[in-house]
């Protein structure tokens, strides 16, 4: 495996984060309450997203958006979300003015949906959006691959 | 179009084919005209273009070219004229070829002619310049420079050339220093038989020297024959091409990429991204251990599964270890009751109902076999993971006793391992 590939970078970070979480809260055999489970799930999910986004640094728009979202979660939520919303609005209006000229491209409905799916995709024109989507899909598959392998190996133990 | 018309009218006397103006006179008049930025707006824009369009007399073009020489080229004037003659004939031929495809408008035809001329005279930076000036948008000399440097698609002389750049070009000409020494060097280069090659190299040289030679590669104009050369449409075309190649790249990433329609391809992509996100969620949930953990998560997604296999992975892992709190598993129990009811009436309808939800029925033994088998296989997003609801074989039409997951978790628990995410994997 390429030592500096996306996969290896993500794996190292993710494993590190997981061990930290596990150390913090050991796995309980009995099924804990749904709230606790959900919290733990969130932590793991956050760890996965964060490690993935960090592996990509800020080279991609979606990673920047994800990092932003992680950093400005609940504590400073109101101020941060307001700032982010205004930023997104300015960029989306600019993109929309671009898009209005070239509206005949078609597929804007799906493009809207794609924008919602891909983090940080609200303020991008179709061309870059497709690029971001491709990279995002690649990263998601990497994530899944790692999670998958972890599951398998842990189960076989 | 005011600035364009102004300088076009300046060219009018030069381009009048009927006149056989002696070379020197033309030179002087041209110089005067050029140095005098004030032109009289008598004739109109269209007249000029039509004049240009009228059969290019060799005299007019040669007259056009030579005036722009720096003054010292007086002695070389006649030789240049004779030299150009052949080129001009060739250019006329080519232009007829091009125009055979149909000319949309006088403007585009004029532009085509211009570019033909420019291509024919690669080294003639000086000659090319009046052509660009002649076309209303030729002032975008820098614009053309960028085109050449990019190597990008053909951009016709911009019709909306900025006035400022026009003025700067004029000033350059008035100084006489702009075309200057560089152009004369190119001017005297022996004409290579292969215009295209020299065009490329000399273009680059002139580029490097910083002149404003707008020359276009020959084949680009050929390709664009009959199409609009409007910069807007060109930009559109570029954009569409970029989007097309991105879509192609995405097609390779996403499975089921046999759709040719862009809209359906986008739909596929959207579904796939949703599916991937969901799988990440599910997998990360399963790490917590206990299938019950997944229930609240999945209960939020009502009809995620359609008939689509990929989406079927969404409605995975319904429930539990047999102790289901109704609060958590309302939707699941409702589904189960519904299925049970349907099964009492007719098996087919029950199956259809399940299929509509992306589920299927299978005996428990088979389900366990599958789940243990999938543990060793990789996740294949293609197949997703249709939810397996089991119905005990010997049991009557009573409500389904156990879900497959419960079986799995039982076996898992024996193994003392966490989680039962394997249902998601085919």
């Amino acid at each position: 495996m390429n030592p500096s590939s996306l996969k290896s970078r993500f794996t190292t970070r993710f494993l590190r984060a997981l061990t930290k979480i596990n150390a913090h809260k050991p796995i309980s055999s009995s099924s804990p309450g749904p709230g606790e489970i959900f919290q733990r799930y969130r932590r793991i999910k956050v760890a996965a997203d964060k490690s993935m986004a960090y592996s990509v640094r800020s080279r991609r728009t979606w990673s920047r958006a994800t990092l932003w979202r992680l950093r400005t979660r609940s504590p400073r939520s109101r101020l941060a979300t307001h700032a982010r919303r205004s930023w997104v609005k300015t960029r989306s209006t600019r993109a929309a003015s671009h898009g209005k000229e070239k509206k005949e491209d078609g597929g804007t409905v799906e493009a809207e949906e794609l924008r919602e799916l891909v983090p940080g995709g609200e303020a991008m024109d179709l061309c870059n959006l497709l690029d971001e989507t491709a990279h995002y899909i690649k990263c998601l598959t990497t994530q899944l691959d790692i999670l998958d392998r972890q599951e398998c190996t842990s189960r076989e133990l | 179009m005011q600035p364009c018309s102004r300088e076009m009218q300046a060219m009018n006397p030069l381009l009048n084919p009927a006149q056989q103006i002696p070379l020197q006179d033309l030179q002087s008049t041209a110089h005067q005209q050029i140095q005098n930025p004030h032109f009289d707006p008598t004739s109109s824009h269209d007249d000029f273009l039509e004049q240009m369009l009228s059969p290019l007399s060799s005299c007019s073009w040669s007259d056009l070219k030579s005036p722009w020489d720096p003054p010292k080229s007086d002695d070389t004037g006649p030789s240049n004229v004779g030299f150009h003659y052949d080129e001009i004939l060739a250019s006329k031929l080519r232009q007829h070829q091009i125009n055979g495809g149909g000319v949309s408008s006088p403007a585009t035809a004029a532009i085509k002619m211009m570019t033909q001329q420019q291509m024919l005279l690669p080294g003639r930076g000086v000659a090319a310049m009046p052509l660009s000036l002649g076309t209303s948008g030729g002032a975008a000399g820098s614009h053309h420079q960028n085109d050449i440097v990019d190597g990008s698609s053909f951009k016709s002389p911009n019709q909306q050339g900025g006035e400022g750049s026009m003025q700067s070009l004029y000033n350059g000409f008035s100084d006489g220093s702009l075309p200057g020494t560089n152009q004369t060097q190119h001017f005297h280069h022996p004409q290579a038989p292969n215009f295209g090659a020299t065009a490329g190299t000399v273009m680059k040289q002139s580029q490097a020297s910083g002149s404003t030679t707008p020359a276009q590669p020959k084949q680009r104009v050929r390709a664009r024959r009959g199409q609009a050369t409007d910069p807007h449409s060109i930009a559109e075309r570029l954009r569409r091409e970029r989007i097309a190649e991105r879509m192609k790249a995405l097609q390779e990433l996403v499975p089921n990429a046999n759709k040719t329609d862009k809209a359906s391809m986008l739909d596929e992509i959207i579904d796939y991204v949703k599916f991937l996100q969901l799988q990440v969620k599910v997998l990360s949930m399963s790490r917590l251990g206990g299938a019950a953990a997944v229930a609240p998560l999945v209960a939020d997604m009502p009809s995620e599964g359609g008939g689509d296999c990929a989406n079927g992975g969404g409605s995975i892992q319904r429930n539990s270890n047999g102790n289901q709190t109704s609060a958590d598993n309302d939707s699941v129990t409702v589904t189960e009751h519904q299925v049970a009811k349907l099964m009492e009436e007719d098996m087919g309808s029950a199956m259809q109902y399940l299929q509509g939800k992306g589920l299927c029925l299978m005996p428990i033994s088979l389900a366990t076999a599958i789940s243990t088998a999938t543990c060793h296989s990789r996740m294949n997003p293609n197949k997703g993971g249709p939810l397996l609801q089991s119905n005990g074989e010997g049991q009557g039409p009573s409500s389904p006793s156990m879900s497959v997951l419960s079986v799995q978790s039982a076996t898992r628990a024996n193994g003392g391992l966490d989680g039962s995410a394997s249902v998601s994997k085919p």
Side-chain angles (χ1 to χ4, degrees):
Chain A
M1 187 158 61
N2 187 5
S4 66
S5 72
L6 174 73
K7 199 187 254 187
S8 53
R9 290 200 306 264
F10 170 64
T11 316
T12 43
R13 278 185 214 272
F14 187 49
L15 288 176
R16 222 181 287 158
L18 274 186
T19 47
K20 218 194 304 179
I21 290 181
N22 265 343
H24 184 64
K25 264 192 166 213
I27 302 177
S28 46
S29 51
S30 65
S31 66
E36 196 181 320
I37 287 179
F38 196 66
Q39 212 181 25
R40 209 185 136 104
Y41 148 70
R42 266 196 71 82
R43 262 196 224 113
I44 290 182
K45 176 177 183 304
V46 158
D49 290 340
K50 195 190 266 188
S51 39
M52 175 55 79
Y54 268 118
S55 312
V56 183
R57 293 287 162 183
S58 301
R59 284 199 301 262
R60 290 280 167 178
T61 309
W62 69 262
S63 68
R64 288 196 290 266
T66 314
L67 287 174
W68 174 296
R69 217 175 278 169
L70 291 173
R71 279 209 193 101
T72 64
R73 253 178 310 137
S74 21
R76 311 165 287 239
S77 64
R78 240 175 302 143
L79 180 66
T81 47
H82 177 71
R84 165 141 178 96
R85 242 180 255 130
S86 55
W87 177 79
V88 168
K89 203 180 290 184
T90 50
R91 290 215 52 199
S92 56
T93 44
R94 217 185 304 151
S97 60
H98 274 293
K100 237 174 280 181
E101 300 172 10
K102 308 158 183 179
K103 203 68 183 279
E104 319 87 45
D105 189 15
T108 36
V109 175
E110 289 94 351
E112 285 306 312
E113 211 174 331
L114 200 55
R115 284 207 181 86
E116 293 168 22
L117 277 182
V118 176
E122 303 97 353
M124 296 176 69
D125 52 342
L126 187 61
C127 189
N128 293 330
L129 184 64
L130 290 179
D131 215 13
E132 286 292 320
T133 312
H135 196 261
Y136 187 56
I137 286 181
K138 191 171 84 160
C139 290
L140 279 181
T141 43
T142 313
Q143 254 180 330
L144 284 177
D145 190 21
I146 302 298
L147 283 172
D148 208 11
R149 297 207 175 167
Q150 264 182 332
E151 287 299 314
C152 270
T153 49
S154 68
R155 202 164 293 118
E156 284 161 15
L157 285 176
Chain B
M1 290 293 230
Q2 272 310 309
C4 313
S5 49
R6 251 186 292 137
E7 37 94 23
M8 274 194 195
Q9 286 126 28
M11 313 290 264
N12 263 335
L14 297 176
L15 288 186
N16 198 339
Q19 300 178 7
Q20 296 287 333
I21 306 175
L23 200 57
Q24 278 66 21
D25 287 354
L26 206 51
Q27 263 186 340
S28 49
T29 49
H31 274 296
Q32 281 174 10
Q33 290 281 358
I34 296 314
Q35 286 155 12
N36 182 6
H38 163 67
F39 304 109
D40 47 349
T42 48
S43 51
S44 69
H45 181 75
D46 290 340
D47 288 346
F48 167 69
L49 282 181
E50 271 150 28
Q51 279 186 350
M52 303 232 309
L53 278 185
S54 57
L56 293 176
S57 69
S58 44
C59 309
S60 65
W61 281 117
S62 58
D63 296 342
L64 184 57
K65 283 172 214 126
S66 40
W68 300 101
D69 294 345
K72 76 161 191 161
S73 68
D74 276 0
D75 37 309
T76 60
S79 62
N80 290 332
V81 171
F83 205 49
H84 290 311
Y85 202 84
D86 303 330
E87 297 174 284
I88 288 153
L89 284 179
S91 77
K92 273 172 69 176
L93 276 177
R94 209 154 297 153
Q95 180 214 327
H96 279 304
Q97 283 178 358
I98 285 192
N99 285 343
V103 172
S104 52
S105 73
T108 52
I111 290 167
K112 280 185 197 131
M113 277 171 10
M114 295 302 186
T115 50
Q116 281 301 295
Q117 292 298 319
Q118 292 168 7
M119 288 177 321
L120 276 185
L121 313 163
R124 275 60 180 162
V126 184
M129 250 184 295
L131 296 180
S132 65
L133 271 188
T135 58
S136 51
S142 53
H143 183 67
H144 287 295
Q145 263 186 355
N146 293 338
D147 291 349
I148 295 164
V149 168
D150 291 344
S152 60
S153 66
F154 163 76
K155 283 192 170 66
S156 66
N158 198 348
Q159 286 281 348
Q160 301 96 9
E163 189 171 357
S165 48
M166 289 278 208
Q167 290 301 324
S168 60
L169 271 180
Y170 282 136
N171 296 338
F173 269 107
S174 60
D175 291 341
S177 60
L178 172 63
T181 51
N182 298 334
Q183 304 308 329
T184 44
Q185 288 172 14
H186 296 192
F187 210 76
H188 295 298
H189 273 171
Q191 191 59 232
N194 185 2
F195 285 120
T198 49
T201 50
V202 176
M203 260 169 21
K204 294 208 174 64
Q205 287 172 19
S206 56
Q207 278 280 301
S209 61
S211 69
T212 57
T213 308
Q216 303 285 347
K218 195 188 304 185
Q219 52 272 25
R220 292 301 284 177
V221 176
R222 282 271 170 84
R224 301 287 180 216
R225 175 177 91 185
Q227 288 191 14
T229 48
D230 181 29
H232 274 307
S233 56
I234 288 174
E236 273 286 328
R237 204 181 307 134
L238 256 186
R239 185 171 159 274
R240 252 176 278 146
E241 281 168 8
R242 278 208 299 225
I243 288 183
E245 65 183 58
R246 302 265 165 81
M247 292 282 293
K248 237 179 281 179
L250 273 175
Q251 257 186 344
E252 296 163 16
L253 282 179
V254 177
N256 300 332
N258 45 5
K259 315 279 193 308
T260 48
D261 181 23
K262 190 159 71 162
S264 56
M265 196 59 222
L266 274 177
D267 282 334
E268 275 293 326
I269 292 170
I270 287 173
D271 288 341
Y272 187 58
V273 170
K274 274 194 216 158
F275 167 70
L276 285 182
Q277 283 176 341
L278 199 52
Q279 272 196 332
V280 169
K281 264 194 225 174
V282 165
L283 272 187
S284 55
M285 280 292 275
S286 71
R287 305 206 104 263
L288 304 177
V294 186
L297 172 66
V298 178
D300 298 338
M301 296 168 293
S303 45
E304 199 52 42
D308 194 326
C309 277
N311 279 338
S315 39
I316 306 176
Q317 292 206 353
R318 294 272 186 103
N319 194 358
S320 70
N321 302 327
N323 15 334
Q324 324 167 355
T325 54
S326 54
D328 287 342
N329 308 313
D330 261 348
S331 58
V332 178
T333 38
V334 162
T335 313
E336 290 180 353
H337 287 314
Q338 187 72 17
V339 170
K341 240 186 295 176
L342 280 175
M343 274 199 286
E344 288 175 32
E345 308 163 10
D346 169 28
M347 211 43 206
S349 60
M351 292 299 287
Q352 278 181 8
Y353 178 73
L354 279 179
Q355 270 184 8
K357 291 202 162 261
L359 313 173
C360 72
L361 282 183
M362 65 166 55
I364 293 185
S365 50
L366 184 58
T368 32
I370 288 181
S371 55
T372 44
T374 54
C375 172
H376 305 290
S377 67
R378 292 203 23 157
M379 169 119 45
N380 187 356
N382 253 336
K383 308 210 196 122
L387 174 66
L388 310 173
Q389 261 194 353
S390 68
N391 191 4
E393 273 185 66
Q395 297 181 6
S398 55
S399 61
S401 52
M402 286 200 289
S403 65
V404 173
L405 269 198
S406 61
V407 174
Q408 281 181 353
S409 41
T411 55
R412 286 292 167 285
N414 292 342
L417 303 166
D418 63 334
S420 55
S422 65
V423 179
S424 62
K425 306 175 205 157

